[in-house]
Amino acid sequence: MIRKRAILITGANGEVGHGLIGHLAGHDTDILALDLNSLDDNLQPLVRDAVVGDILDQELLSRVMSEYEIDMIYHLAALLSTRAEFTPEAAHRVNVQGTINLLQLAIEQSRWLGRPVKFIFPSSIAVYGMPSLVVKHGAPPVHEDLYNMPTTMYGCNKLYCEHIGRYYALNYRQLAATPEPHGVDFRAVRFPGLISAVTIPSGGTSDFGPEMLHAAAQGQPYASFVRENTRIPFMVMPDAVKALMMLGDAPREQLTRRVYNVTSFTLSAGEIAAIARQAFPQAEITFNPDDKRQGIVDTWPALLDDENARRDWDWCPDYDVDRAFDDYLIPAIRERYGR
Ligand code: SER
């Protein structure tokens, strides 16, 4: 049987999956989409095959392994930071064991192909843990190697998977008599909070930004679960997809590290509310902080340093704050809700 060539996207039906599939589909790429839920109807025509299943299901992964020749994996499936706090052990299984299962699939595919499979991994601002608000607000843009002290299960999972990815890339079975010839070409970006005009996140703790905007556009009241003066960096989905693609395309020899920050603009929750109110005057946004979720966001940096990505693979976001809202979010959200 001839194995079908494809790139594999896990978590394909999630927010980043939607953005990525929409973008890749224009590039003549055969996509194998894998998700727990069936792929949205509008994405179905854009992929070669869509498999419904669990990344913890070894039998399913073996079937994928034998039917497809996969030279690139975007491993997007994860339980986000708020959801993970309700079921930390389940989150660990999905976020860590799920990632190891995919890395193992990548190693096996690398052996077949005779070259390393590219493994693109979205990591997160949640890997940081600022020790206090005073430090958070006084710190210069945070470099990848500082404050790696996450307080959430999700943040711990992402930070650990970055290390495990490096291990599969460089040291996998390093004492075996026949060492792994190729390894996995593991590359990770640490995203700030993401905002899409076409999907709404679920289960994250940066969700107050996108939730506020989508609620405002629909004329629904929204009570923010963080204080007005809460600041974290955000990025719009087209830039998040651009970062994944650029990192995936970068020549290996230009990469001086495996894990890169990317960022575009920082806003407070109050500033997002002001933009939403101006665009959608019927918006009813109030602030009713939830101390526990607030506590998580307070440990995330206000500013990220993405100099390494800029230097190594020419990273530069297309959307600063004005373009993000004026040219992308507000017009597309207006259209989406007919406002
Ligand atoms: N957006 C994610 C979350 O809130 C952070 O990576 O969990």
Side-chain angles (χ1 to χ4, degrees), residues 22-240:
H23 183 90
L24 283 174
H27 287 71
D28 199 21
T29 312
D30 283 326
I31 298 170
L32 169 60
L34 174 59
D35 201 288
L36 262 187
N37 301 307
S38 69
L39 198 63
D40 283 356
D41 288 346
N42 60 328
L43 296 181
Q44 293 277 1
L46 306 181
V47 305
R48 172 174 191 150
D49 291 317
V51 175
V52 177
D54 190 336
I55 54 171
L56 296 174
D57 179 349
Q58 293 285 4
E59 252 174 59
L60 173 79
L61 294 182
S62 304
R63 215 167 59 235
V64 165
M65 181 71 209
S66 61
E67 283 179 27
Y68 293 89
E69 183 181 302
I70 295 165
D71 63 0
M72 187 157 191
I73 299 173
Y74 292 92
H75 174 41
L76 311 179
L79 285 190
L80 295 186
S81 57
T82 288
R83 184 160 306 156
E85 289 312 307
F86 290 99
T87 54
E89 292 79 14
H92 188 275
R93 280 193 292 280
V94 173
N95 295 347
V96 175
Q97 188 57 48
T99 299
I100 290 182
N101 290 352
L102 269 301
L103 283 164
Q104 172 117 39
L105 185 144
I107 277 275
E108 287 173 26
Q109 289 279 343
S110 303
R111 286 186 203 130
W112 271 85
L113 289 169
R115 62 174 189 279
V117 164
K118 280 188 188 169
F119 195 102
I120 312 298
F121 183 68
S123 187
S124 165
I125 190 172
V127 304
Y128 297 104
M130 307 305 284
S132 69
L133 275 178
V134 174
V135 175
K136 166 169 171 159
H137 291 300
V142 172
H143 181 276
E144 285 89 347
D145 299 331
L146 291 175
Y147 303 111
N148 289 175
M149 202 56 75
T151 63
T152 60
M153 180 52 117
Y154 172 77
C156 293
N157 296 162
K158 287 287 183 186
L159 186 59
Y160 174 66
C161 285
E162 292 176 358
H163 287 290
I164 280 291
R166 178 176 49 75
Y167 167 77
Y168 272 76
L170 300 175
N171 304 112
Y172 184 71
R173 294 176 69 239
Q174 58 193 300
L175 298 183
T178 43
E180 202 59 44
H182 307 294
V184 171
D185 187 354
F186 179 87
R187 306 170 178 205
V189 271
R190 288 182 184 163
F191 282 131
L194 298 181
I195 314 183
S196 167
V198 290
T199 50
I200 303 172
S202 65
T205 320
S206 60
D207 295 3
F208 60 90
E211 282 175 358
M212 200 180 278
L213 202 58
H214 283 266
Q218 296 171 83
Q220 291 171 354
Y222 183 74
S224 166
F225 58 82
V226 295
R227 291 183 309 266
E228 275 187 86
N229 63 359
T230 303
R231 296 180 85 77
I232 57 166
F234 282 98
M235 175 179 284
V236 290
M237 195 55 76
D239 271 335

